[in-house]
Structures are given as C-alpha cells and as structure tokens.
Amino acid sequence: MAQGIFKNIKGDRLIWAIATLLAIFSFLPVYSAASNLAYTGGSGNTFSYLVKHSMHLFLGFAIMYAVHRIPYRYFRGLSMIMIPVVIVLLILTVLQGTTIDGANASRWIKIPILNMSFQTSTLASVVLMVYVARYLSKIKDKAVSFKETILPLWAPVFIVLALILPANFSTTAIMFLMVVLLTFLGGYPVRYLLVIIGSGVLALIFFILIAKSFPEVMPNRVDTWMSRIESFTSDEKTQEAYQIENAKIAIASGGVSGLGPGKSIQKNILPQSSSDFIFAIIIEEYGLVGGLFLLVMYSWLLFRLVIVSQKSDTIFGKLLVLGVGLPIVFQALINMAVAVELFPVTGQTLPLISSGGTSIWMTCLAIGIILSVSAKREEIKAKEDETREDNPLDILSETI
C-alpha cells in the first residue's frame, strides 16, 4: 500500500521535501514546549500532546495528498461554491464562536460529531485567494472598469474580511495585504488598487469608531489591538510586553548552538510557547543554527513557489500558486518577526511547526493545491517527451 501511495505522489518533489522536513522538525519543539501546558493545565502527560500533534500532521498530509491528486482546474469552480459556504461558516463563528486556551476572541466553532474546534478564518483565507486568482485569470488582458469588478471581486473580499475583523485583526490585515498583492501581480489596474486600499483604511477607521462608541458589542477587541501596538512602541509592562521579553530571553539564551533538545527554560514561563512563540523556543534549544534552518526552509519554499508559478501552463495556475503559497511564507516571516520584536504581537502561528490542527490542515490544503499545479506541468512535460520519442525527426533536427 505504501509503495502505491509513493508511486502516485506527483508534483514538485522539493516542495514535498520541504513540507516533510518542517513537519518532522516540528515534533521535538512541540513536544518540549507542550510540557508547560501538560503540567499547568492538563494531567501532566506530555506524550498525549505529541500524539495529538502527530494526528494533526497525519491528517494534514492526507489532505495534501488527496488535494494534489485533483486537477487544479477544478478549484476554479470549487471556489465559486465555497465562497458562500465560507461566509455562512464565518457568520456562525461570529454568532456562536468559542474561546480556546483563554483567547478572548470568537474565532472557533465546534464540529459536533468530531468534538473538535475549527478556526474558520484559516479556511476562508485559502478559499478567498483561490477565488481572487480565478477572477483575475478571467479578466487578464481585458479592459475592465472599476465598477465592473466591485460585485464579482471586491464584494466577496470585503464581506469575508468584515466577518473576520471583529475577532482577528491580524488575520484580516494579512488577508487584505495578500489579496492586494495578488491583484497587483495579476495585472489589476494600480489606480483601482489605490481606491481599494483607501476604502479599506476608511472601513477600518469606521469600525474602530463604532467599536469605541459601543464597547458592549465587541468587548476588549479594539483595546487589545491598541495595547499590542502600544506595548510594541513603548516600554510599558503589559501582557504583550511580558511575552516579548520572555521570547527575547529565550533567544538570547540559545546562542549559536542552543541549550539542546528539551532543555528550554522559557517554555515554562512563555505563554503560547508551543504555537505563537515556538520560534523563540526553537532558538533557545537549537540556537542560531535552528533559526537559520527554518529561515532557509521557508526561503526555499518561496523560491520553489516562484518556479512552479512560472512553469504553470495557464494564468490561473500561475496566480493560484502565488495566491495560496505567498501567505504561508509571509505568515512564517511574521511569526519570526514577532519573536524578535520586529513586529507587534499578532497571534500568527509558524506554518507546519506550531501546534494546532486548523493551521496545519489549511497549510497542507494550500500546499496540496500548489502541488496539483506542478503535477499538471509534469504531466504536460511527460506528454511532450513521449511525442518527441515518437517523432525521430524532432530529435534529428535538434541534433543538427
């Protein structure tokens, strides 16, 4: 059975290798950092956290394998179907969302049968990028007016972002930035993009004013954003400053080669040490070497994304790879930047490294889509090689 699975693995082998290396590497830091959760909020059994992380990764790679076997042209139509589904899920999340590990935000919904929590905004991010790539490929090299693009393109984008914004500003900001970047790469007129950016800024200001005027509707959310920004720009002792200070202590303690696997001290002090701040724990245990390893892996992934995008046979394929791939790399860079205090606290996880099922699954979904695009290129190349073998005159002409 295993041989059959490996035989059916298609797509860019280097992307497969990067995803696998990141997943394997994640076990030790997650197991180490989870000890704090096990003893402070659990039964003291750290092995259960390792098993849970293993199951998340196993299901994630199963999703990646299944999705990469689907011809990527089908994602064009699926995005049209999934946008309304995602909007409904986001509305349900706003109405009955729950908090996880004390997080003061309605970001998750419970899956009744499986008794699992699911963060709908991560699914929305992938679906939205596929939808935008589909629309941009449709209007490529066509003269369109701004008015023509409002309903089919920007209305779904702003509806999705408006539903995520009250609970998760950082995810909303990243999604908006990625959509703007993708539309720019897709050839959308810059003058229209400036209008959209201006509209987005005005919408955010309007939302903040509403939230400040009616704090009982969205308690603490805007205050949380402001406190994170203020703690980043000032020396006040806040919860966010406490997290950053302990992250910096962990990084400084790691040095070049680190304290060694499982020997982190700050994991017992640093909140969210297995998710949001796992990069600091990795540097503490594996030093500068471990940090550079991750930076190289994500940079390598970015390089392969550009290669796969360039080699795609359609405009949709090119934009699809960039649309679902760039957010993975950008999220990784944001997570690392937060740990070294180059960016305010955002709550973004480290893709394929941090614990958390939804983040892993949606990252694997995005990588599966990328692999589907690269698999199609391999299929075309294989057919071209067969044609050349069947026509010896082509080979002779190349030789001459």
Side-chain angles (χ1 to χ4, degrees):
M1 181 179 175
Q3 287 183 344
I5 293 175
F6 284 118
K7 185 180 179 181
N8 288 319
I9 286 179
K10 308 294 182 183
D12 191 284
R13 297 295 191 273
L14 290 176
I15 292 180
W16 275 107
I18 293 165
T20 304
L21 284 172
L22 288 173
I24 293 172
F25 180 78
S26 72
F27 281 101
L28 285 176
V30 166
Y31 181 60
S32 174
S35 61
N36 179 40
L37 294 174
Y39 287 104
T40 57
S43 61
N45 181 12
T46 56
F47 186 71
S48 62
Y49 286 90
L50 184 63
V51 172
K52 186 178 181 180
H53 184 64
S54 302
M55 294 305 296
H56 287 160
L57 283 172
F58 177 79
L59 182 55
F61 272 75
I63 292 171
M64 191 191 304
Y65 177 81
V67 170
H68 104 287
R69 298 289 299 172
I70 302 172
Y72 77 86
R73 65 180 182 274
Y74 290 121
F75 298 127
R76 183 191 294 266
L78 284 172
S79 68
M80 299 276 292
I81 298 171
M82 286 301 298
I83 279 290
V85 174
V86 159
I87 290 173
V88 171
L89 287 175
L90 289 173
I91 292 172
L92 289 175
T93 305
V94 171
L95 295 177
Q96 61 179 30
T98 57
T99 57
I100 304 294
D101 293 333
N104 185 22
S106 297
R107 305 179 185 181
W108 291 267
I109 57 173
K110 286 279 187 180
I111 303 175
I113 300 174
L114 300 176
N115 194 29
M116 294 175 67
S117 299
F118 185 80
Q119 192 171 357
T120 50
S121 61
T122 53
L123 173 63
S125 177
V126 177
V127 172
L128 188 63
M129 297 309 289
V130 177
Y131 178 85
V132 172
R134 179 206 68 85
Y135 182 80
L136 291 173
S137 65
K138 181 181 176 182
I139 65 168
K140 184 67 175 174
D141 298 326
K142 292 182 181 178
V144 292
S145 65
F146 179 67
K147 186 177 180 181
E148 287 177 305
T149 63
I150 291 176
L151 279 179
L153 175 60
W154 296 113
V157 169
F158 277 98
I159 289 171
V160 169
L161 295 181
L163 290 170
I164 297 173
L165 177 62
N168 199 335
F169 170 72
S170 60
T171 297
T172 306
I174 291 172
M175 286 175 64
F176 180 70
L177 181 61
M178 291 294 101
V179 169
V180 169
L181 178 59
L182 183 62
T183 50
F184 174 75
L185 295 174
Y188 190 76
V190 175
R191 63 184 184 277
Y192 298 164
L193 271 181
L194 293 175
V195 174
I196 291 298
I197 293 171
S199 301
V201 172
L202 289 175
L204 177 61
I205 294 171
F206 180 73
F207 172 80
I208 292 173
L209 292 174
I210 294 294
K212 285 286 188 180
S213 302
F214 304 97
E216 67 280 358
V217 178
M218 286 164 286
N220 302 328
R221 291 316 303 154
V222 174
D223 292 337
T224 301
W225 306 345
M226 298 303 293
S227 67
R228 287 179 173 180
I229 295 172
E230 287 171 3
S231 67
F232 178 73
T233 56
S234 68
D235 295 327
E236 288 186 34
K237 299 297 181 182
T238 61
Q239 173 65 20
E240 286 74 21
Y242 173 80
Q243 291 175 317
I244 291 296
E245 287 303 315
N246 281 285
K248 288 163 69 177
I249 291 171
I251 292 169
S253 303
V256 176
S257 57
L259 302 177
K263 295 182 180 179
S264 168
I265 298 171
Q266 293 304 117
K267 68 184 179 184
N268 300 313
I269 305 170
L270 185 60
Q272 306 295 331
S273 58
S274 65
S275 54
D276 300 357
F277 286 92
I278 197 168
F279 184 66
I281 304 302
I282 289 171
I283 295 183
E284 185 181 12
E285 294 188 348
Y286 301 94
L288 184 63
V289 174
L292 287 176
F293 169 76
L294 288 181
L295 193 58
V296 168
M297 285 294 102
Y298 289 116
S299 299
W300 194 14
L301 176 60
L302 176 61
F303 176 72
R304 294 310 306 173
L305 291 177
V306 175
I307 295 297
V308 172
S309 175
Q310 288 295 318
K311 289 185 175 180
S312 177
D313 59 315
T314 64
I315 296 297
F316 175 62
K318 294 177 187 294
L319 295 174
L320 181 62
V321 170
L322 296 175
V324 300
L326 290 179
I328 298 174
V329 179
F330 188 74
Q331 182 181 327
L333 294 177
I334 289 291
N335 179 278
M336 296 177 191
V338 168
V340 297
E341 205 180 6
L342 290 175
F343 210 79
V345 175
T346 61
Q348 297 299 315
T349 57
L350 194 58
L352 291 176
I353 299 289
S354 297
S355 61
T358 309
S359 173
I360 292 172
W361 299 334
M362 294 304 103
T363 300
C364 289
L365 171 63
I367 294 175
I369 292 172
I370 295 164
L371 291 169
S372 174
V373 177
S374 62
K376 179 62 177 177
R377 174 58 190 165
E378 287 181 355
E379 181 184 327
I380 293 172
K381 187 177 179 182
K383 288 181 179 178
E384 289 175 351
D385 291 341
E386 287 179 9
T387 304
R388 288 177 68 252
E389 288 176 2
D390 293 339
N391 192 351
L393 290 176
D394 288 345
I395 301 174
L396 181 60
S397 62
E398 289 183 6
T399 306
I400 296 172

